[in-house]
Amino acid sequence: KYLRNFSFGLIVIGYIYYCYRYIIASSFLIGGTTYYVLFDDAMISMRYAYNLAHGLGPVWNAGERVEGFTNPLWVGLMALVHLLPIGLNQTGLVIQIIGASFLTLNLILVKKIVEHFTDDLFVMLAAAALTAFYAPLNSYGLLGMEVSLLVLMLTTVIWLILKNGNRFAISIYILLALSTFVRFDMAVPYLVIFAVLFITQKENRKQHLIWGLGLLVLSLGGQTLARYLYYGALLPNTYYLKVE
C-alpha cells in the first residue's frame, strides 16, 4: 500500500508541476506586468462575469441582453473571482489555479475507479498518468474552460455509481442536474447514465424515473424559463449562430 500511494503521489506532484509550467508558459509580460490569459471562449465568459460582478448583469455590453455563453454556473464562479481584491491581470491566474485543482482532484477519483476493478499497480498508475497528461483535457482545463469542473463531476458520478452498487443514490442525479447548469448540453451524458442505470437496476426503475427524469426536466426547464425571461430566447445565442 505504501508503494501504491507513493507512486501515485509522484504522479500527482509531477502533474502539479506540469500545471505550474503550463500556466507560466501561457502568460505574457507586457510593460513589466504579467498577464494571465485564458482560452478565447473562456475570456468571453470572463467579460460576462466581470459585468455580473459589477452589477450590470450577465451581459456582454451594459443594457444589451444577449446570452453569448453556455456555462452559467461557471460564469457565476468567475464572477466571484472578479470580486477578489486583485488586478484584472491576475483574475485569469485564479481561474487557472481552480482548473488545475479540479483536474488534480479528478486524478484521485480516477485512482478510486480503477481500484474498484483491479489491484494491479501498473494499471492504476497508467490510468492516472494518461489522464493527467492528456493534452486536450489540459488545454481546455488549464486555460479557463468549464471542462475541468465537468470532468470532475462526471468521474465523481461514476465513482458514486460503483460505490453504491445496486442501491439507488439520489446524489448521482443531483450532481448530474448541477452539471447541466455548468453546461446546458451535459443533458446528453445525463441521459446516457440515466438509461444505463434504468436498464441495469431493475428494482429501482421507479425511483430512476421519478428522480432521474424529474431533476433533468426541472434543471433544463428552470434554465430555459430563466433564459427566456431575461434574454427573451429559449437557447443561448451560440446555439442559434452554430445551427442556423
Side-chain angles (χ1 to χ4, degrees), residues 22-218:
Y22 195 107
I23 292 172
I24 294 298
S26 61
S27 65
F28 295 89
L29 185 64
I30 303 175
T33 302
T34 302
Y35 289 83
Y36 297 90
V37 298
L38 308 177
F39 193 71
D40 55 357
D41 283 359
M43 291 303 288
I44 291 173
S45 297
M46 286 286 273
R47 180 177 171 96
Y48 277 88
Y50 176 88
N51 286 332
L52 176 60
H54 289 81
L56 300 176
V59 295
W60 178 259
N61 293 319
E64 296 180 6
R65 295 193 178 187
V66 178
E67 187 181 12
F69 60 91
T70 56
N71 48 2
L73 199 57
W74 192 247
V75 169
L77 177 64
M78 287 177 162
L80 293 178
V81 172
H82 281 290
L83 295 176
L84 297 175
I86 56 177
L88 279 177
N89 63 306
Q90 294 180 316
T91 53
L93 173 61
V94 176
I95 297 298
Q96 288 181 292
I97 292 174
I98 291 173
S101 300
F102 287 156
L103 292 176
T104 302
L105 288 173
N106 181 60
L107 297 180
I108 298 174
L109 285 165
V110 168
K111 176 178 180 291
K112 288 179 177 292
I113 290 171
V114 173
E115 289 176 339
H116 178 84
F117 296 100
T118 178
D119 291 327
D120 192 300
L121 178 62
F122 175 77
V123 173
M124 183 274 288
L125 293 177
L130 289 171
T131 302
F133 302 105
Y134 181 56
L137 183 59
N138 288 316
S139 294
Y140 287 111
L142 295 177
L143 289 177
M145 298 299 288
E146 65 277 3
V147 171
S148 60
L149 177 55
L150 291 177
V151 73
L152 178 61
M153 287 179 136
L154 275 178
T155 48
T156 301
V157 165
I158 299 304
W159 178 68
L160 286 173
I161 291 172
L162 295 173
K163 180 183 177 183
N164 285 282
N166 289 323
R167 298 191 305 272
F168 176 81
I170 190 175
S171 56
I172 292 170
Y173 289 116
I174 291 175
L175 197 53
L176 285 171
L178 282 174
S179 74
T180 66
F181 285 89
V182 180
R183 188 170 179 87
F184 193 75
D185 45 19
M186 278 298 291
V188 175
Y190 188 123
L191 285 170
V192 171
I193 292 171
F194 163 77
V196 171
L197 293 177
F198 181 79
I199 293 171
T200 58
Q201 295 186 5
K202 296 180 180 179
E203 66 280 8
N204 298 323
R205 283 182 174 174
K206 183 178 179 180
Q207 291 171 297
H208 286 298
L209 279 174
I210 294 173
W211 290 107
L213 291 183
L215 285 176
L216 179 63
V217 171
L218 281 175

